């Protein structure tokens, strides 16, 4: 199967030497679990702070920020069992049971991809909402409220689940040990694993695979990245316009100028988060689309030194790593968030 955009070995059965196992083991068996756990702790603090911060308590943006934080945490949490089972040991496990084969398929690819889809579109929704609020601050009061933002989060979440539903049921687990034994075919269990996932159907398998891969590339990579890039440019213009207006209004007040600067820095935090998102998502989109157009191979195919497999592994790893830094962007650039966060830390600090 070709669902290898997550950077894991798509083939459980007969993982070839061309797959960069040392790189994957270093990143997935050691670094990623630590990053995921720290990201979970960070995002817990983000949600607590968002719902404790008095200016944010009535803010609709807290709903989308919290939804993104939850999605970013879930992408890593869901993959932890797979990462520990397949990459924490000195070698790939052998005699894998059918449940673990299905676990790799569901927790390694389907569910993380579903959550990543939701996260990307939640981020597009947040970026669009930020632009409209910054650019049209007076007219947005009619629709920009917690109830509408909650509805938007629910709609995006449901849409992300619906488009990925076929991936939960389009596969079956093939037991190669049982299949080969019944056909008197010998194989080495030291180098060959015992099962893999394959599509349930034979007719139209290639067409289905090509369609789903292009559909996911367009909906999860191309459209969100292009939309975020356009919104990024529009947000720069809107923030610059707001900053100019505030500076003109507060030119005779030192306190007013300081408040204007803090507000501009706060508004600019979304640009920094968008920059971080685009830095990891655009290379991922290029790798994904390039593989579909030029290579037509899965991550475990070809020469391991040629870079195709390494690129997918690295883009997947850096996507997970980027989620870790969101809380620090809030702390550095959002004065209200920083003040509330520090007050929470002081309350929890032992006497």
């Amino acid at each position: 199967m070709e669902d290898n955009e997550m950077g894991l070995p798509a083939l459980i059965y007969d993982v070839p030497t061309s797959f960069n196992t040392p790189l994957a083991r270093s990143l997935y068996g050691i670094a990623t679990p630590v990053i995921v756990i720290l990201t979970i702790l960070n995002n817990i603090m983000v949600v607590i702070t968002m719902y404790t911060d008095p200016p944010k308590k009535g803010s609709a943006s807290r709903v989308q920020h919290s939804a993104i934080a939850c999605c970013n945490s879930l992408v890593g949490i869901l993959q932890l069992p797979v990462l520990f089972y397949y990459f924490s040991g000195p070698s790939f496990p052998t005699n894998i049971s059918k449940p673990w084969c299905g676990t790799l398929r569901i927790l390694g690819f389907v569910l993380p991809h579903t959550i990543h889809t939701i996260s990307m579109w939640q981020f597009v929704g947040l970026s669009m909402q930020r632009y409209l609020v910054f650019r049209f601050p007076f007219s947005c009061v009619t629709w920009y409220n917690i109830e509408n933002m909650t509805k938007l989060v629910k709609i995006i979440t449901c849409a992300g689940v619906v488009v990925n539903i076929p991936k939960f049921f389009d596969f079956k687990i093939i037991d190669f040990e049982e299949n080969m034994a019944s056909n008197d075919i010998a194989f080495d269990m030291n180098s060959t694993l015992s099962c893999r996932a394959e599509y349930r159907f034979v007719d139209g398998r290639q067409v289905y695979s090509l369609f789903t891969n292009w559909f996911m590339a367009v909906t999860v990579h191309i459209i969100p990245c292009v939309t975020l890039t356009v919104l990024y440019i529009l947000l720069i213009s809107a923030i610059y316009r707001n900053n100019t207006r505030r500076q003109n209004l507060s030119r005779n007040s030192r306190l007013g100028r300081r408040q204007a600067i803090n507000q501009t820095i706060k508004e600019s935090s979304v640009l920094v988060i968008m920059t971080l998102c685009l830095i990891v998502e655009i290379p991922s989109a290029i790798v994904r689309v390039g593989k579909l157009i030029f290579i037509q191979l899965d991550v475990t195919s070809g020469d391991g030194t040629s870079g195709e497999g390494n690129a997918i592994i690295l883009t997947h790893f850096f996507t997970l790593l980027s989620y870790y830094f969101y809380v620090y962007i809030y702390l550095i650039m959002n004065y209200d968030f920083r003040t509330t966060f520090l007050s929470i830390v002081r309350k929890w600090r032992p006497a």
Side-chain angles (χ1 to χ4, degrees):
M1 303 185 76
E2 298 179 3
D3 297 298
N4 46 32
E5 65 276 4
M6 287 299 172
L8 305 179
L11 296 175
I12 304 175
Y13 165 73
D14 199 19
V15 176
T17 56
S18 61
F19 179 73
N20 196 333
T21 304
L23 176 64
R25 181 158 284 114
S26 298
L27 294 181
Y28 297 150
I30 301 173
T32 300
V34 174
I35 291 168
V36 168
I37 292 170
L38 292 176
T39 300
I40 294 167
L41 296 176
N42 285 354
N43 286 331
I44 289 173
M45 289 304 303
V46 168
V47 174
I48 291 174
T49 305
M50 287 285 180
Y51 281 82
T52 304
D53 186 358
K56 292 282 185 189
K57 274 190 172 182
S59 172
S61 65
R62 71 172 185 177
V63 177
Q64 290 175 296
H65 282 293
S66 300
I68 292 171
C70 291
C71 287
N72 292 348
S73 296
L74 281 173
V75 170
I77 291 172
L78 292 169
Q79 294 181 68
L80 279 180
V82 170
L83 299 180
F84 281 124
Y85 184 76
Y86 288 97
F87 296 101
S88 61
S91 61
F92 280 111
T94 57
N95 293 311
I96 299 173
S97 64
K98 282 188 176 182
W100 268 110
C101 288
T103 298
L104 178 65
R105 168 70 176 166
I106 296 297
L107 297 186
F109 299 109
V110 179
L111 280 175
H113 190 275
T114 302
I115 302 300
H116 183 245
T117 303
I118 296 169
S119 177
M120 281 298 295
W121 282 101
Q122 296 286 12
F123 199 77
V124 170
L126 173 66
S127 303
M128 190 172 297
Q129 171 254 108
R130 291 287 82 190
Y131 168 71
L132 293 174
V133 170
F134 296 162
R135 184 65 182 85
F136 309 104
F138 299 107
S139 59
C140 75
V141 295
T142 58
W143 56 265
Y144 180 53
N145 53 59
I146 293 177
E147 182 181 359
N148 286 340
M149 292 303 104
T150 302
K151 289 179 181 178
L152 178 62
V153 167
K154 290 178 180 179
I155 290 170
I156 292 174
T157 301
C158 291
V161 172
V162 167
V163 298
N164 283 280
I165 281 178
K167 309 300 287 183
F168 287 89
F169 305 103
D170 65 357
F171 74 98
K172 60 181 177 179
I173 301 300
I174 304 297
D175 190 326
F176 274 84
E177 183 178 7
E178 181 180 301
N179 189 30
M180 290 184 178
S182 64
N183 291 284
D184 295 326
I185 301 174
F187 63 103
D188 182 8
M189 282 302 299
N190 292 323
S191 61
T192 303
L193 306 183
S194 54
C195 57
R196 65 173 290 181
E198 289 189 355
Y199 289 124
R200 290 184 178 276
F201 46 86
V202 177
D203 296 336
R205 179 180 296 181
Q206 187 172 357
V207 174
Y208 174 80
S209 176
L210 188 63
F211 171 78
T212 54
N213 276 276
W214 269 110
F215 179 78
M216 294 303 172
V218 170
T219 57
V220 183
H221 296 288
I222 297 174
I223 294 179
C225 285
V226 171
T227 305
L228 287 175
T229 302
V230 173
L231 288 171
Y232 188 91
I233 298 171
L234 294 174
L235 273 167
I236 291 175
S237 174
I239 292 172
Y240 177 79
R241 188 191 301 263
N242 288 349
N243 179 64
T244 302
R245 185 181 69 253
R246 282 192 292 264
Q247 292 294 335
N248 290 334
L249 291 173
S250 60
R251 66 175 60 179
N252 297 322
S253 169
R254 179 179 299 179
L255 176 61
R257 288 197 303 271
R258 187 169 61 186
Q259 291 175 339
I261 292 172
N262 286 336
Q263 184 63 28
T264 300
I265 293 173
K266 180 179 177 180
E267 290 180 354
S268 300
S269 63
V270 71
L271 289 177
V272 178
I273 296 175
M274 289 175 73
T275 301
L276 183 61
C277 177
L278 290 171
I279 285 174
V280 296
E281 292 296 341
I282 289 178
S284 179
I286 292 172
V287 170
R288 175 78 168 163
V289 174
K291 188 172 73 72
L292 287 171
I293 295 174
F294 301 110
I295 302 173
Q296 295 286 329
L297 299 175
D298 72 37
V299 69
T300 59
S301 300
D303 182 6
T305 63
S306 62
E308 303 97 1
N310 291 352
I312 297 177
I313 291 172
L314 290 171
T315 53
H316 173 230
F317 172 75
F318 282 115
T319 298
L320 293 175
L321 179 63
S322 69
Y323 298 155
Y324 169 74
F325 294 102
Y326 280 33
V327 66
Y328 301 107
I329 296 172
Y330 296 138
L331 284 172
I332 293 171
M333 304 192 69
N334 191 323
Y335 176 79
D336 295 330
F337 183 93
R338 182 169 64 252
T339 302
T340 305
F341 179 86
L342 292 176
S343 68
I344 294 172
V345 171
R346 292 189 192 100
K347 290 179 182 177
W348 290 356
R349 186 175 58 188

